[in-house]
Amino acid sequence: MITLDKLYLLSPEFILLIAAFLVLGIDIFGKRRWQKALPYWTIAGLLLSMVASFWLMGHKETVTDTMAADSFAYYFQLIGEMVVVLVTLALVDYLPGRTHQQGEFYALLLFAAIAIMVAVSATDLIMVYLGMEFLSITSYVLVGFLRNDKRANEAAIKYFLYGAVASAVMLYGMSLLYGLTGTTNLAAIAQKLTAGNLVSGYQWLLFPALLFLTVGFGYKSSLVPFHQWAPDVYDGAPTPVSAFLATASKGVGFALLIRVFVTALPAVKIDWVALLYALSVLTMTVGNFVALRQTSVKRMLAYSSVAQAGYIVIGLVAFNGKVPFTAFNGVSGVLFYLLAYAFTNAGAFIVVGAIEEHTGSTQMDDYNGLVKRSPFLAGVFLILLLSLAGVPATGGFMGKFMVFGAALAEQFYILALIAIINSVVAVGYYFKVIKAMFFVPGEGPAIAVAKPTRYALVITLAMTLLLGIFPSWFLHIATTSGLAMVGL
Amino acid sequence: MITQAIFIIVSLFTLVTALLVVRHPNLFSSALYLVASFFGVASLYVLLEADFLAVVQVMVYIGAISILIIFAIMLSKGMMGKHTSPHNQQDRWVALAGLLLAIILLYFLVALVQWPTTPVGPVPANAIQLLGQDLVGRFVMPFEIASVLLLAALIGAIAIAREREI
């Protein structure tokens, strides 16, 4: 039963819901002056919601049986809210001229943020499914929102078809788990599975269930071989939406992978560690080697974000819930990596979008001599690419350090070695862009960057450096949030 | 014995109509076969003594969703009489993979697992009441979130299907 005094635990969701209605209302009834400020209403709602999420961190309660209010959930909520703030800033100058329906766009973006918050708090299979589906449906619309853009339409249809299949498969997996245990609550499933007195031969059943769940979550976080939609969608979607999909939406896949596997399926840990091990190696290797061959920077970023997902999974493979808890428990590494990655990758997509806005192209050749045409963009992109490559003093390095460190602590030496070799391969294509921007001469008019986009980029740049140079406070938060999950 | 026979007939009916949904060249006929397939599923629910689910299946899937699909087809230009090809280059491989997966799943799920077949007990008389109470009690959050989802889907559908852009 839900009691009213626990509703405050959901205040981040409520604030965003009110903000979404406000945005829609202002769009319909508001004065012209107010309508112009729609993105800023959106951001105000998101900032308030961030304050609420941050303030509620440290709680460890459940709101009915279906939603948790723990640091783990609030941590992912904060990542989602921050990414949507950045995306909204990038949209301020992107949307006008492309669509008249800006109110709907911002409202849907807020709904997508609510979907993220619901999904990461879910502690019940029904809620997990609803959260995923909610996020997917809003994402399909956001990808295909600009109806005159043929490539965006293609991307939306592709995303929808893959998503529909993946969620059907995932639902099948959930039904198997429910059939076995007679409950949809994650903790209760774990209890039933460890108690053992289930129908005979059920061990066989757990593996397909596990596999099917992985299809659903792996689709969201673009793990190979469930990644085929990713390059086309990131490439075809409006660039700010790509930034959202490649960071916040991907984070939800990981959050659920961790939440469901760690809380509900510790009984088959050996199976899912092996499965994720294989997926991690595949994802890193395929992502990196395909990225090497790309000539479009946007597509290269798309494959690079597939490869990054491979590194992030390592953290879950090396998950370790043993006492005493350390920062290298794997899950905390995933959390820190995702935070650093959210800023870095969102920033990278926003840079590519800003350049595309001016030159109409995402080809590597058009980045030649960028430093002369826009020192600001070239400088920001340099730091972000270094962070993606994992160069020290950036957030990306600390993320890799935490995750690879966890792999070494759990004696996954071969996996760590493969990951390090992959990181070196990745340097190849990140530096190709850096070389083009700084060392290859190129001509062209100066590129002006809109003010809000500039703010978004300054935030991503500052956070990427902050996470790399002074990570201790963030590490502490990531560790405690991870422990909220591990220490169950 | 008779239930067994009815079950086989109903499932065959459901499967054949479902196959026709994906194989029929005319989209409108596919939609009608879909209605038939939904009826088959509703009958399966009746066989399982889940009468409430059967009613919901008829009301929601046949009464609402199928009608919606039929309307969508009728309102789309040139969809009514036209024949579309349900084939593509990959359908042979997909059929093979699907068949293989079905065999594997059937073997593992049906043959290897001893599913409990003893009935849990009689369905309580106030089953629907209990279901309703659960929807606003234990599962109130999913229930509410689903309504927010539907709102977002509605806004999204209008935004995408609007008359013209700019």
Side-chain angles (χ1 to χ4, degrees), chain B residues 57-134:
Chain B
Q57 172 82 9
V58 172
M59 299 238 295
V60 175
Y61 280 90
I62 300 170
I65 292 179
S66 309
I67 301 298
L68 204 69
I69 290 174
I70 289 171
F71 260 98
I73 293 171
M74 287 190 341
L75 293 177
S76 304
K77 227 180 263 172
M79 269 304 188
M80 279 295 286
K82 214 167 72 183
H83 282 226
T84 50
S85 167
H87 301 274
N88 63 21
Q89 296 105 328
Q90 289 150 356
D91 57 0
R92 220 165 280 168
W93 293 109
V94 172
L96 193 71
L99 197 69
L100 222 69
L101 188 69
I103 292 170
I104 292 172
L105 285 180
L106 281 178
Y107 176 66
F108 284 125
L109 295 188
V110 181
L112 280 178
V113 181
Q114 309 262 299
W115 293 99
T117 45
T118 46
V120 192
V123 181
N126 60 345
I128 298 170
Q129 201 181 357
L130 291 175
L131 191 73
Q133 274 166 3
D134 256 1

Side-chain angles (χ1 to χ4, degrees), chain A residues 466-482:
Chain A
L466 196 65
L467 284 165
I469 300 170
F470 303 106
S472 53
W473 187 70
F474 297 97
L475 269 178
H476 173 71
I477 293 204
T479 309
T480 47
S481 304

Side-chain angles (χ1 to χ4, degrees), chain A residues 333-411:
Chain A
V334 172
L335 262 59
F336 187 86
Y337 200 127
L338 278 169
L339 181 69
Y341 171 78
F343 285 111
T344 308
N345 216 29
F349 271 104
I350 293 172
V351 169
V352 171
I355 294 169
E356 190 185 2
E357 195 71 358
H358 253 262
T359 60
S361 150
T362 58
Q363 289 300 309
M364 192 90 75
D365 297 338
D366 292 303
Y367 283 65
N368 289 347
L370 186 72
V371 65
K372 287 220 186 89
R373 290 152 68 195
S374 173
F376 172 71
L377 282 182
V380 172
F381 208 16
L382 169 71
I383 303 292
L384 297 179
L385 286 171
L386 289 179
S387 175
L388 282 175
V391 171
T394 60
F397 169 74
M398 282 310 296
K400 280 203 173 70
F401 178 71
M402 293 287 294
V403 169
F404 295 177
L408 290 177
E410 280 294 285
Q411 304 182 329

Side-chain angles (χ1 to χ4, degrees), chain A residues 10 21 24 66-67 97-101 111 118 127 130 134 137 141 145 147-148 172 199-201 204-205, chain B residues 105 108-109 112-116 137-138 141-142 145 148-149 151-152 155-156 159-166:
Chain A
L10 297 174
F21 284 127
L24 280 173
T66 50
M67 277 177 100
R98 284 190 166 83
T99 176
H100 279 317
Q101 326 257 334
F111 278 121
V118 169
M127 208 62 183
L130 259 179
F134 192 179
I137 286 172
V141 180
F145 199 91
R147 268 207 338 201
N148 292 343
Y172 191 28
V199 291
S200 73
W204 282 111
L205 206 58
Chain B
L105 285 180
F108 284 125
L109 295 188
L112 280 178
V113 181
Q114 309 262 299
W115 293 99
R138 205 148 54 100
M141 287 316 295
I145 298 294
V148 180
L149 196 169
L151 175 73
I155 295 169
I160 281 190
R162 65 195 176 269
E163 190 68 39
R164 64 198 159 84
E165 175 79 79
I166 305 185

